[in-house]
Amino acid sequence: MNIAIIGSGYVGLVTGVCLAHIGHHVICIDNDPEKIKKLNAGKVPIYEPGLEDLIRKYRRMKRLVFSGSIAGAVKKSEVIFIAVGTPSKQNGDADLTYIENVAREIARHMDSYKLLVEKSTVPAQTGNRIERTVRLNLPAKYRKDGARPFAFDVASNPEFLREGSAIEDFMNPDRIVIGVESSRAEKLLREVYKPLKARVVVTNLASAEMIKHASNSFLAAKISFINAVAQVCDRVGADVEKVAEGMGYDKRIGRAFLNAGIGYGGSCFPKDVDAFIRLAEKSGYDFRLLKSVRDVNEQQKAAFIQLIEDKLWIIKDKTIAVWGLAFKANTDDMRRAASLDIIRSLRAEGARVQAYDPKAMVNARYELKDIKFCADAYAALKGADCLLVLTEWDEFLKVDLARARGLMRQAVVFDGRNFCDREAFTAGGFEYYGIGRGETVKTTTGAAACGKK
Ligand code: UDX
């Protein structure tokens, strides 16, 4: 099939290249000429495992083309995915300016049936607004009292791609959600995804939009739930890692997304939770549960800083080593990374910060102007009074702990992801503090030492 993707950001690029991989001819559009120039020169603006190789392959096979022209893409393609950004406004609403602009622009070049598919995460009922915008902006020759001169459809097909494993997620989805208002749209979207042989859930437009809201918010809720449990674990001498394991074997609960830590970040969860709260508010429902999910997430960073202050005593003029800056491992993405708030707060108290991240330092430099960026994990430790582990990169597990300890002034580690081998650090002479691992209380039962990673 001939498919256009409008917006060559994270979601657009991954979707475009994966659709080419399953056999379609794809045109990826972006309004940033620099980005298109780079992509056409084989340079990929984001780090995502496997993406660059696939882009190179399908460009060579001419199944994937990058262009700045919406006009040309609309003419050539029957199915048009909209994957432009939907940033948060100050009040938490999703800013849909780019969606509206693109809908208008697509409409102006339409001359036959097209299926417009929302891929970006948008508030419920955006599909109806796109339909109306297209209808009102068709070329003048077709405009007759707002009536449709030819058929077109709007559908919702939310993405569930995780950064760092987005290609794998696209190729092996748990489900494909298709929100449609006509059988023609359903048939076309089924055709698009036929090679994947995945479970397809067909709904109306609004339900598909809601599935995306509800899925991301539910996952965020799982994280905040376990983080709240971790706070109590610390106070009663329990180990949240064991608690999560014990809960996770219950099939109704599952172990995934029960990793306690410094809270969720990234381009999706914080923004999507805000947008869902606002959508509910506007529709007349006070989504208090979700507001608490957001609050717990913020508290988690504050609690981590408090723990550091408690154990380090004076923060001013201390040297703090940081391993990991990205909002999670296997990405260079710094958007809403918990590391930013934590580092800024420690800097405000007068600490010196020296950090290392395997992929995210280029992006981090835009955000953090007054910290030292180090060449590797060891360099970050030189003369440090403590180490903070803020992203769970595998390479940190391979560090020689004796060498690490020798480089530091004080061997104290705060593991913000419960990722390091606590026993190995403790045996190596480190004072180890995780999240919700019962270290903040002294018990006679030895609970602090239970449970091995
Ligand atoms: C998420 C959704 O998973 C994906 O379906 C959606 O389409 C986009 O948003 P992503 O933002 O790439 O994907 O990251 P994800 O792996 O879901 O993690 C989000 C955040 O939650 C990260 O900061 C991560 O560190 C944190 N997290 C995740 C936890 O703190 N604990 C967990 O148990 C899981």
Side-chain angles (χ1 to χ4, degrees):
M1 297 171 84
N2 289 317
I3 296 175
I5 315 273
I6 317 289
S8 299
Y10 193 88
V11 171
L13 270 183
V14 172
T15 305
V17 81
C18 289
L19 288 174
H21 185 64
I22 61 174
H24 302 298
H25 288 267
V26 180
I27 309 179
C28 282
I29 305 293
D30 205 281
N31 65 358
D32 176 355
E34 270 306 301
K35 190 186 267 182
I36 293 298
K37 212 161 99 188
K38 276 191 186 147
L39 284 163
N40 275 326
K43 294 194 186 103
V44 181
I46 52 166
Y47 170 72
E48 178 63 30
L51 187 64
E52 198 165 318
D53 288 349
L54 287 183
I55 289 183
R56 204 172 302 136
K57 179 171 170 190
Y58 293 110
R59 274 189 64 236
R60 220 174 24 236
M61 290 170 70
K62 305 224 179 323
R63 289 230 296 266
L64 181 64
V65 174
F66 296 104
S67 155
S69 158
I70 288 193
V74 170
K75 293 252 158 7
K76 274 199 198 113
S77 319
E78 191 172 11
V79 181
I80 303 163
F81 284 90
I82 302 175
V84 293
T86 54
S88 283
K89 289 199 233 171
Q90 205 69 31
N91 63 3
D93 274 345
D95 180 349
L96 301 179
T97 313
Y98 300 130
I99 299 264
E100 189 193 30
N101 290 346
V102 162
R104 273 206 198 119
E105 185 74 9
I106 294 172
R108 284 192 194 116
H109 302 289
M110 273 170 51
D111 56 2
S112 60
Y113 177 86
K114 305 286 170 195
L115 170 61
L116 276 65
V117 189
E118 299 167 352
K119 199 65 171 155
S120 317
T121 300
V122 290
Q125 298 183 334
T126 302
N128 295 338
R129 293 188 180 277
I130 295 177
E131 195 276 338
R132 183 178 146 78
T133 304
V134 170
R135 196 157 29 81
L136 295 176
N137 285 276
L138 287 169
K141 61 182 173 185
Y142 297 127
R143 258 183 262 144
K144 286 188 213 128
D145 310 325
R148 284 179 169 208
F150 47 77
F152 69 89
D153 280 306
V154 178
S156 163
N157 168 225
E159 51 83 19
F160 300 102
L161 309 172
R162 287 166 303 173
E163 293 188 21
S165 55
I167 291 169
E168 169 72 19
D169 288 348
F170 187 98
M171 297 301 172
N172 301 292
D174 291 334
R175 76 306 203 187
I176 290 167
V177 174
I178 289 178
V180 285
E181 301 287 335
S182 83
S183 52
R184 185 173 186 177
E186 178 184 342
K187 193 164 160 274
L188 272 173
L189 274 172
R190 280 189 185 275
E191 188 70 22
V192 168
Y193 287 109
K194 203 166 161 196
L196 289 181
K197 298 185 176 54
R199 178 188 294 126
V200 177
V201 179
V202 181
T203 72
N204 64 9
L205 251 173
S207 305
E209 291 166 335
M210 277 298 284
I211 288 171
K212 175 69 187 189
H213 284 301
S215 300
N216 270 9
S217 296
F218 186 80
L219 291 170
K222 258 188 120 172
I223 298 170
S224 279
F225 183 85
I226 201 67
N227 279 334
V229 170
Q231 290 300 324
V232 183
C233 284
D234 262 339
R235 288 161 176 79
V236 301
D239 182 352
V240 74
E241 291 294 306
K242 280 286 160 195
V243 174
E245 185 190 343
M247 288 168 66
Y249 288 126
D250 186 327
K251 287 193 195 66
R252 295 168 301 173
I253 299 173
R255 176 63 183 80
F257 278 73
L258 286 182
N259 295 321
I262 46 180
Y264 58 78
S267 65
C268 287
F269 284 179
K271 172 168 84 72
D272 292 356
V273 167
D274 281 352
F276 201 13
I277 290 171
R278 284 288 295 162
L279 176 76
E281 223 160 57
K282 282 189 191 167
S283 70
Y285 179 70
D286 181 9
F287 209 147
R288 284 190 298 176
L289 179 64
L290 218 42
K291 287 180 179 168
S292 296
V293 166
R294 184 172 60 187
D295 291 347
V296 168
N297 199 54
E298 288 310 307
Q299 279 164 17
Q300 216 43 27
K301 287 175 272 193
F304 189 63
I305 291 162
Q306 213 177 336
L307 175 71
I308 298 167
E309 283 173 354
D310 184 34
K311 304 296 170 191
L312 214 56
W313 195 18
I314 310 294
I315 300 290
K316 192 169 183 308
D317 293 332
K318 289 267 164 64
T319 299
I320 298 186
V322 171
W323 282 357
L325 295 165
F327 84 96
K328 66 173 193 178
N330 301 319
T331 175
D332 63 353
D333 200 336
M334 285 298 299
R335 284 176 290 177
R336 305 281 285 262
S339 65
L340 291 173
D341 291 338
I342 292 166
I343 290 174
R344 283 182 186 134
S345 170
L346 294 169
R347 283 286 305 130
E349 286 191 56
R352 280 185 296 273
V353 174
Q354 40 195 49
Y356 167 70
D357 187 286
K359 292 283 178 209
M361 290 200 289
V362 173
N363 290 334
R365 277 178 209 274
Y366 294 109
E367 306 283 342
L368 300 164
K369 305 283 183 206
D370 54 359
I371 71 166
K372 185 172 164 194
F373 291 96
C374 302
D376 60 30
Y378 294 107
L381 298 176
K382 275 187 196 141
D385 293 287
C386 71
L387 163 65
L388 316 186
V389 180
L390 302 185
T391 314
E392 68 286 17
W393 288 99
D394 273 345
E395 74 169 70
F396 300 149
L397 297 176
K398 296 179 197 129
V399 165
D400 174 345
L401 292 185
R403 184 176 162 200
R405 192 180 167 204
L407 289 165
M408 296 177 73
R409 191 154 54 192
Q410 295 184 155
V412 181
V413 58
F414 298 94
D415 183 356
R417 302 282 184 170
N418 287 349
F419 172 68
C420 301
D421 183 337
R422 178 170 61 168
E423 276 66 37
F425 268 89
T426 309
F430 284 81
E431 245 181 57
Y432 173 97
Y433 299 100
I435 307 283
R437 310 210 61 190
E439 281 104 353
T440 59
V441 291
K442 293 271 171 283
T443 64
T444 48
T445 56
C450 79
K452 201 172 175 335
K453 262 240 44 122

